[in-house]
Amino acid sequence: MKTYLVTGGAGFIGSNFILYMLDRYEDVTIVNVDKLTYAGNLENLRPVEGNPRHIFVQADICDKAAIEDLFRKYDFDYVINFAAESHVDRSISDPEIFVKTNVLGTVNLLNCAKQAWQTGDDAFKAGCKYLQVSTDEVYGSLGAEGFFMETTPLDPHSPYSSSKAAADLFVKAYADTYRFPVNITRCSNNYGPYQFPEKLIPLMINNALQRKELPVYGDGMQVRDWLYVEDHCKAIDMVAREGRLGEVYNVGGHNERPNLAIVKTILSYVKEHVDAGVGEELIRHVTDRKGHDRRYGIDPEKIRRELGWYPETDFETGIQKTIQWYLTNQEWMEHVTSGRYQEYYEKMYDSK
């Protein structure tokens, strides 16, 4: 039996990873630590409610005593760190919380794992690994051509991506200084079930279903590489189990699309299958985000070559599955969009 500490497991990617792992493996137990901020939602984990191999603990990864207690209580084989503040707009208005969670929280996890696993100078319990889930945004912005590779210099442009780059460098420093067993994965934009609706795709789906305006930054021609979340979960599983120690692996979907094209695709689907009265007149171009990167694109050749991973879900299939999930889970959407986040969202876009 392998025991995982999964942080941020009530969030979008973390909850999908837990559902994937418990469905795929019978010999896995997961201790799920989440602070349950606005983007953490235990409804995401309803399919494993009551499963004895899923143990939920509400805690902050910055809380040293709480994390140390978990390492004393459980014999962890893996730490998978999803816990992060991840919304760029929020990082621009409040950078400090991003430094606290994304940087100091990561360092606290590293220290607790190092203390628990260390058996001697530069020696650690066999088979243990810390995996940092990062983002392609640490690389900055691409021109019209080329792709991010693992060797691309870090050049973050927002407080969010800067905090993730800083965390990555701490993970690398622990590998170099202490020979601590780590991997880092850097993924492109994820989409799929359970994504909090401050992000582009669920936000646009929700607004289209309600015939609300769809706010698009600038001209909407910012290009992103879209990765279906289940494909990402498979990659993380492979890297945790088989990735070479100390290595970074880029995880991309080979699905580059401009943001405006994504919005029009969603509108077209809703118009055809749900509400014929919905159209592109709902699109509203708003003032562009500060420091908005123009294009991201990932080269996933290294993870394909070394581990045999590839993105199995093409965008046309993935976006339809995603829209259909939100259509059949509108109660979930109503729950997560109620309360203080909805007020924050409306205020934020009314000011642009």
Side-chain angles (χ1 to χ4, degrees):
M1 182 69 72
K2 297 292 185 182
T3 305
Y4 287 68
L5 172 59
V6 173
T7 66
F12 166 45
I13 306 176
S15 61
N16 274 280
F17 179 75
I18 290 172
L19 297 177
Y20 170 80
M21 293 294 289
L22 292 177
D23 180 65
R24 181 176 176 84
Y25 300 105
E26 294 293 332
D27 62 345
V28 163
T29 295
I30 293 177
V31 178
N32 172 11
V33 172
D34 199 293
K35 188 178 178 181
L36 294 183
T37 61
Y38 73 96
N41 185 359
L42 288 178
E43 287 191 60
N44 298 359
L45 296 158
R46 189 170 289 175
V48 295
E49 191 173 18
N51 188 326
R53 295 188 295 119
H54 173 244
I55 301 159
F56 176 74
V57 178
Q58 185 173 358
D60 187 341
I61 61 169
C62 296
D63 186 338
K64 182 179 180 181
I67 302 302
E68 284 182 337
D69 184 62
L70 289 174
F71 273 93
R72 282 191 295 266
K73 188 174 182 179
Y74 299 99
D75 186 16
F76 293 122
D77 298 285
Y78 300 96
V79 175
I80 315 292
N81 183 25
F82 294 98
E85 293 282 348
S86 65
H87 191 39
V88 176
D89 289 323
R90 291 172 63 87
S91 80
I92 292 170
S93 62
D94 186 9
E96 186 174 341
I97 187 64
F98 285 72
V99 174
K100 181 178 179 182
T101 299
N102 299 356
V103 184
L104 299 181
T106 294
V107 172
N108 188 47
L109 287 172
L110 289 166
N111 281 333
C112 291
K114 176 179 174 291
Q115 177 180 304
W117 292 344
Q118 193 159 22
T119 58
D121 289 343
D122 298 339
F124 296 89
K125 177 186 169 185
C128 293
K129 184 183 286 185
Y130 176 102
L131 191 151
Q132 178 78 0
V133 180
S134 189
T135 170
D136 59 357
E137 294 192 43
V138 300
Y139 295 123
S141 184
L142 286 167
E145 298 180 354
F147 298 94
F148 295 135
M149 303 179 69
E150 289 82 359
T151 54
T152 300
L154 303 187
D155 186 26
H157 294 156
S158 71
Y160 160 63
S161 56
S162 297
S163 69
K164 291 295 288 184
D168 286 4
L169 291 176
F170 270 104
V171 174
K172 182 180 183 300
Y174 272 62
D176 293 344
T177 303
Y178 308 113
R179 301 295 182 264
F180 188 66
V182 306
N183 283 124
I184 298 171
T185 58
R186 293 177 180 145
C187 67
S188 55
N189 282 37
N190 279 220
Y191 69 104
Y194 301 111
Q195 187 170 27
F196 192 76
E198 66 186 356
K199 303 294 187 177
L200 179 70
I201 287 177
L203 174 63
M204 297 304 163
I205 294 171
N206 189 42
N207 282 19
L209 291 175
Q210 299 184 54
R211 292 195 182 186
K212 290 183 177 181
E213 290 184 330
L214 279 60
V216 174
Y217 282 126
D219 62 4
M221 297 308 293
Q222 304 86 359
V223 174
R224 300 294 182 261
D225 177 13
W226 293 93
L227 175 66
Y228 192 63
V229 66
E230 186 176 357
D231 288 339
H232 187 198
C233 293
K234 293 176 183 177
I236 292 168
D237 177 30
M238 287 183 174
V239 172
R241 290 172 176 263
E242 305 169 28
R244 287 188 293 129
L245 291 180
E247 293 295 312
V248 176
Y249 292 91
N250 283 349
V251 186
H254 279 317
N255 283 310
E256 288 190 47
R257 301 286 192 285
N259 288 345
L260 186 59
I262 300 292
V263 174
K264 290 182 177 180
T265 297
I266 292 167
L267 279 171
S268 176
Y269 186 96
V270 173
K271 182 180 181 69
E272 180 178 352
H273 297 281
V274 183
D275 182 357
V278 167
E280 293 183 10
E281 68 279 358
L282 289 176
I283 295 173
R284 175 164 66 98
H285 290 269
V286 299
T287 304
D288 205 356
R289 170 190 287 160
K290 296 177 181 179
H292 204 174
D293 294 329
R294 194 64 175 172
R295 174 176 171 257
Y296 302 146
I298 283 239
D299 180 359
E301 172 59 22
K302 179 178 177 180
I303 191 173
R304 186 203 64 78
R305 182 180 66 251
E306 293 192 9
L307 304 180
W309 178 89
Y310 61 93
E312 300 175 26
T313 310
D314 63 77
F315 184 77
E316 288 70 23
T317 300
I319 193 64
Q320 289 190 27
K321 289 171 65 174
T322 299
I323 296 171
Q324 289 165 2
W325 186 89
Y326 284 103
L327 287 174
T328 57
N329 289 273
Q330 292 188 52
E331 183 179 358
W332 177 92
M333 180 69 84
E334 290 171 4
H335 288 173
V336 300
T337 55
S338 63
R340 63 187 181 89
Y341 170 70
Q342 187 67 12
E343 294 172 5
Y344 161 81
Y345 157 73
E346 291 174 351
K347 180 179 179 181
M348 181 175 69
Y349 279 108
D350 284 345
S351 67
K352 290 188 180 296

